[in-house]
Structure formats: C-alpha cells, structure tokens
C-alpha cells in the first residue's frame, strides 16, 4: 500500500521538510503533514471506502502510514453520530447532533491522536515516550505505548481527574503528579528529552497526533454523505481536534469528495475558567496570551498556552466561526441536562459546548434551524468529582415505602 505524504511543512513559515525522518517542531511551532492529493485522488475514490472496516484506518491514503504492520491499534471504531431531538427541543432548535467520541479506547478521542502518533513513533524506532497531560492524553498514551511495547512516562497536574491518574498507571506508565499546570509538566518533559532519551509526544510537538485527530473530520464527512454541517461546536484545549477537522475538510475539498462547497463554521468552545483563545479571538489577535491562574473542572481544556494557538485562530476565522466561553459554574448542570435528556455521557469539556450553544442561539450567532454538530470528546464517568451525587440508602430488612421512592 503506497504512502502519499509529500512533505512536512512548517505552520509558522511554510518551510518544507522531507518526511522520512522523525520530526518535532520548526522554530518551536508545529508542522503540517502534506500529501500528494492528486495521487491520492488517482489511487482511491470515496466509494472505495464503503467496503473497508469501520475504523479510523479506513482513511489510510490520507494518513502517514507506510505499512500496515506499523499500525498500533486498540480498535479505533467509527463513533456514533446521534440525533438529539429532546435536547434540541429544550434548546429551541431543530437539527442538533452529538458525535460521541467517548466510545473510543480509554474513553476519549485522545485515542485517535495517540494511535497515530505511537504508530509513527514505533515506525521510527522510538522505544520510550513521555507526555504532559491534563488527563486523557496520559491514559491514551499509556495504553498505546503498552500495546506497542514502549516505555511510557506521564506527567499530570496534581488535580488531574483520579481516573486518568489510575488508568495511566494501570497501563504500566510511570505516572508523576506535578504541583503545577500542564505547562509546568510540559517543561519537565522537554527538560528530560536529553537526559531520559524519551520522545516528547506533547500536543502538536510532533506532527502525527494531529493526523489522527483529523480522522474525526473525515469520518464526520463520510457519515453525513459528504455534506458538511452548518456549525461544529468543539471543546478546545490544545486545539488539535479543531485544527485537524479543518485540515480534513480542506483535503476532502481538494480531492473533490465533498458534496458542494459548503464548509461548517467552527466554534471554539472554552470555559470562563480558562479561555485564552476566546480572548485572542475577541481582541482580533493571531496569537493568544497565556491565561493566568486557570481553574476549570474541564481538565482537557485547562491549557493556558497552546502551541498551535494561531492555527486554531486561523481555522476559526477562515470558517467564519467564533470562539466563545461558557460559564464554568454551570458545567455540571449541562452535563446533567444532556445525560437526562439523551442518555449521552458528556464530559465537562463537551458540556462547555452546550453552554456556548445556548448563548450563540440567544445572540443569533447560530440559527435554530441550522445543522449543528456538537463533539462529545470524552466520557463523563472519568470525572468522579463532577458526577458525584448524594444517593439515598435503603434498609433491606425493613418494609420498603414504595411511595417514597418516586419522591
Ligand atoms: C484533550 C481534550 C480536549 C481538548 O482537545 P484538543 O483537541 O487538544 O483541543 C477536549 N475534551 C477532552 C475530553 C479532552 O481530553
């Protein structure tokens, strides 16, 4: 099976870099993976996908994989795209869908990026990896590293969700709790590159996690019959998912696979507890100022400074979308709203999108009849503190007061 990667390209200045060796950043900013899309178009048509297994690897020609043996997989299934009629009605709209990424290995969409990045790291002979993480990336990397037989080091802020801490350890990673933010963890990982000879898998510090996340956009397009929605709401931390989807739509457009020229407005959703991209968007800036003293239960969004800030902001603006923040104090409320109305387990990150959606409808940034997709990026069950409730107890030795149960 041929590989169609033509080169890597610096996102900050367009410098081209040959693809055959392991790369990190250029001028301390991310790299794009570029493909010979004409050759892809000659080699495969979108109808050929129909007979392939329902996994992210079905988009093989648009991924950097050279040989199937390089793929490190835990079964990255296509995720459900669920129409939400009851939630839509509650919000006064008509065409709302949730793409539920919580069904992926380790319960979040981080699996897509890590499956791809670990596959490439393995192909380049890497045997030890490290990552700074707010939570889910650590669990996902630990699992894929175990699968690939690599050694794994994970650095998390002390306040990271406990399930993330334990799941990374469960998968054999050496997990350290750092008394600081994800940026402080990142400093440790960068600092250890020489002394520990590990490969740094931080968000956007190598080019391949982005290619894995890109499959969210490819998959969404295919699920919708290649007709893209009007609006995508995405809970944005480091931004790989938003940047990756916008890249996917561009590649599909160039391939001529999209029905019409319609592309969605990308809504970058953050919490008021950490919204550096929203501030930069409002200020008309291309780069974001680091957010001081971030505080949010949406761990995946607790990213005070994103390496790809300009890539996020470029995508939002090119798409005529927006960056908006939702009230941190209401995240649990929105998690419960979706849980009760739709039975979908929404993490606090995606709950941010519900808040933004409410506000965007009220302010007229989204029309009630538009086709809107909200990304549920990870499972609520990992956030024990956010879903904790006081439950009534029953004494089985006494008669049950049936009327009391329904009160
Ligand atoms: C990491 C994470 C995010 C943010 O993802 P980016 O693509 O890096 O912006 C959102 N939600 C969850 C559950 C996450 O784990």
């Amino acid at each position: 099976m041929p590989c169609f990667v033509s080169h890597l390209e610096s996102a900050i200045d367009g410098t081209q870099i040959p693809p055959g060796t392991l790369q990190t950043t250029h001028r301390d900013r991310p790299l794009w993976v570029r493909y010979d899309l004409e050759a892809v178009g000659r080699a495969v048509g979108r109808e050929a996908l129909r007979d392939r297994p329902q996994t992210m690897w079905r988009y093989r020609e648009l991924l950097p994989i050279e040989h199937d043996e390089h793929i490190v997989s835990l079964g990255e299934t296509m995720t459900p795209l669920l129409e939400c009629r009851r939630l839509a009605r509650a919000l006064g709209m008509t065409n709302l869908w949730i793409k539920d990424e919580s069904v992926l290995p380790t319960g979040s969409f981080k699996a897509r990026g890590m499956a791809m990045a670990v596959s490439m790291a393995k192909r380049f002979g890497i045997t030890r990896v490290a990552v700074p993480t707010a939570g889910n990336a650590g669990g996902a990397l630990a699992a894929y590293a175990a699968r690939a037989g690599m050694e794994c080091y994970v650095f998390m802020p002390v306040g990271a969700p406990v399930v993330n801490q334990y799941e990374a350890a469960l998968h054999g990673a050496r997990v350290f709790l750092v008394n600081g933010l994800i940026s402080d963890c990142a400093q440790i990982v960068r600092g250890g590159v020489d002394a520990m000879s590990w490969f740094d898998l931080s968000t956007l510090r190598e080019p391949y996690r982005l290619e894995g996340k890109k499959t969210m956009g490819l998959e969404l397009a295919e699920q919708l019959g290649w007709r893209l929605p009007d609006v995508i709401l995405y809970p944005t931390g480091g931004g790989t998912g938003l940047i990756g989807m916008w890249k996917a739509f561009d590649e599909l457009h160039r391939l001529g696979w999209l029905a019409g020229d319609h592309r969605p407005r990308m809504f970058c959703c953050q919490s008021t507890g950490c919204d550096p991209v929203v501030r930069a968007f409002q200020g008309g800036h291309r780069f974001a100022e680091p957010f001081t003293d971030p505080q949010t239960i949406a761990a995946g969004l607790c990213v005070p400074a994103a390496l790809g800030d300009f890539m996020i902001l470029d995508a939002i603006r090119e798409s005529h979308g927006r960056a908006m923040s939702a009230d941190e104090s209401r995240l649990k409320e929105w998690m419960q709203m979706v849980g009760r109305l739709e039975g979908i387990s929404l993490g606090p990150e995606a709950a941010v999108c519900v808040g933004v959606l409410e506000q965007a409808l009220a302010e007229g940034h989204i029309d009630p009849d538009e086709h809107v997709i909200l990304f549920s990026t990870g499972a609520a069950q990992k956030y024990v503190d956010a879903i904790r409730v006081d439950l009534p107890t029953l004494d089985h030795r006494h008669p049950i007061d049936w009327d009391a149960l329904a009160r």
Side-chain angles (χ1 to χ4, degrees):
M1 192 99 171
C3 175
F4 296 96
V5 174
S6 55
H7 60 279
L8 304 175
E9 180 190 311
S10 160
I12 199 75
D13 67 9
T15 301
Q16 297 198 3
I17 296 166
T21 55
L22 190 59
Q23 295 292 334
T24 55
T25 51
H26 174 77
R27 290 178 47 199
D28 207 39
R29 289 291 189 172
L31 297 174
W32 298 111
V33 179
R34 296 299 187 198
Y35 299 83
D36 179 351
L37 292 172
E38 271 177 34
V40 171
R42 282 193 301 272
V44 66
R46 62 186 199 189
E47 51 306 319
L49 301 178
R50 236 175 283 146
D51 303 325
R52 296 186 181 179
Q54 307 257 318
T55 74
M56 65 181 251
W57 310 103
R58 65 201 272 108
Y59 309 109
R60 182 77 165 59
E61 287 84 354
L62 291 171
L63 295 175
I65 293 291
E66 286 157 274
H67 298 289
D68 286 343
E69 316 84 81
H70 292 154
I71 295 175
V72 179
S73 172
L74 288 163
E76 299 70 29
T77 181
M78 289 177 88
T79 63
L81 185 58
L82 304 165
E83 184 168 16
C84 296
R85 293 217 179 90
R86 284 155 54 82
L87 179 63
R89 206 173 310 132
L91 292 167
M93 55 192 302
T94 57
N95 199 0
L96 174 62
W97 300 67
I98 290 182
K99 187 151 170 68
D100 187 3
E101 296 280 301
S102 71
V103 304
L104 287 163
T106 67
S108 91
F109 72 152
K110 288 290 192 300
R112 293 184 189 263
M114 287 306 182
M116 191 71 247
V118 169
S119 295
M120 292 305 285
K122 187 172 177 215
R123 173 245 178 279
F124 286 117
I126 297 294
T127 56
R128 183 186 275 181
V129 290
V131 77
T133 172
N136 282 322
L141 177 59
Y144 283 96
R147 189 81 168 157
M150 289 179 190
E151 231 186 301
C152 179
Y153 287 76
V154 171
F155 299 85
M156 289 186 193
V158 264
V162 286
V163 176
N164 288 139
Q165 301 176 17
Y166 298 157
E167 84 179 335
L170 178 69
H171 292 118
R174 287 173 208 260
V175 184
F176 299 90
L177 301 178
V178 178
N179 60 344
L181 299 169
I182 189 171
S183 36
D184 301 304
C185 298
Q187 205 97 46
I188 294 174
V189 171
R190 273 208 300 293
V193 164
D194 290 334
M196 298 296 290
S197 333
W198 57 43
F199 186 61
D200 180 354
L201 277 165
S202 303
T203 299
L204 292 171
R205 283 208 172 267
E206 58 74 58
Y208 301 114
R209 278 178 68 183
L210 182 64
E211 292 305 289
K213 288 271 191 91
K214 181 181 86 175
T215 62
M216 274 194 304
L218 302 174
E219 188 176 302
L220 178 69
E222 189 185 2
Q223 284 174 318
L224 293 173
W226 309 103
R227 195 172 298 281
L228 296 177
D230 298 313
V231 170
I232 288 179
L233 295 153
Y234 182 78
T236 308
T240 37
L242 190 147
I243 300 165
M245 279 193 276
W246 192 243
K247 181 174 193 281
F249 301 151
D250 182 59
E251 290 172 358
L252 292 175
H253 168 72
R254 284 168 201 265
L255 276 170
W257 287 13
L258 293 179
D261 204 16
H262 183 66
R263 273 183 258 182
R265 309 199 297 288
M266 305 297 288
F267 276 61
C268 159
C269 306
Q270 299 196 306
S271 157
T272 49
C274 183
D275 61 356
V277 178
V278 176
R279 290 173 186 212
F281 178 77
Q282 287 170 346
H285 307 300
R286 190 175 185 225
F287 298 93
E289 286 297 317
F291 191 95
T292 44
D293 195 23
Q295 267 165 7
T296 172
I297 59 164
L301 307 188
C302 201
V303 181
L307 196 65
D309 52 358
F310 64 106
M311 299 156 88
I312 304 171
L313 286 153
D314 287 354
I316 298 168
R317 291 187 175 118
E318 276 171 35
S319 78
H320 307 289
R322 302 185 74 76
M324 294 174 67
S325 31
D327 187 350
E328 172 69 21
S329 67
R330 294 184 59 197
L331 299 187
K332 291 182 196 177
E333 191 186 311
W334 289 311
M335 289 170 75
Q336 284 170 358
M337 181 183 188
V338 176
R340 286 175 189 183
L341 286 174
E342 298 290 355
I344 296 172
S345 153
L346 204 71
E349 292 85 359
V352 158
C353 299
V354 180
V356 165
L357 178 55
E358 255 183 26
Q359 196 187 333
L361 287 163
E363 293 176 359
H365 301 304
I366 296 176
D367 184 275
D369 292 321
E370 284 192 296
H371 183 195
V372 176
I373 312 282
L374 189 155
F375 271 83
S376 168
T377 43
Q381 289 88 334
K382 288 201 182 177
Y383 302 81
V384 179
D385 291 331
I387 62 174
R388 177 172 286 128
V389 284
D390 287 325
L391 301 173
T393 57
L394 285 179
D395 187 342
H396 69 95
R397 293 162 306 187
H398 291 119
I400 303 292
D401 176 357
W402 299 111
D403 289 335
L405 297 190
R407 255 176 241 143

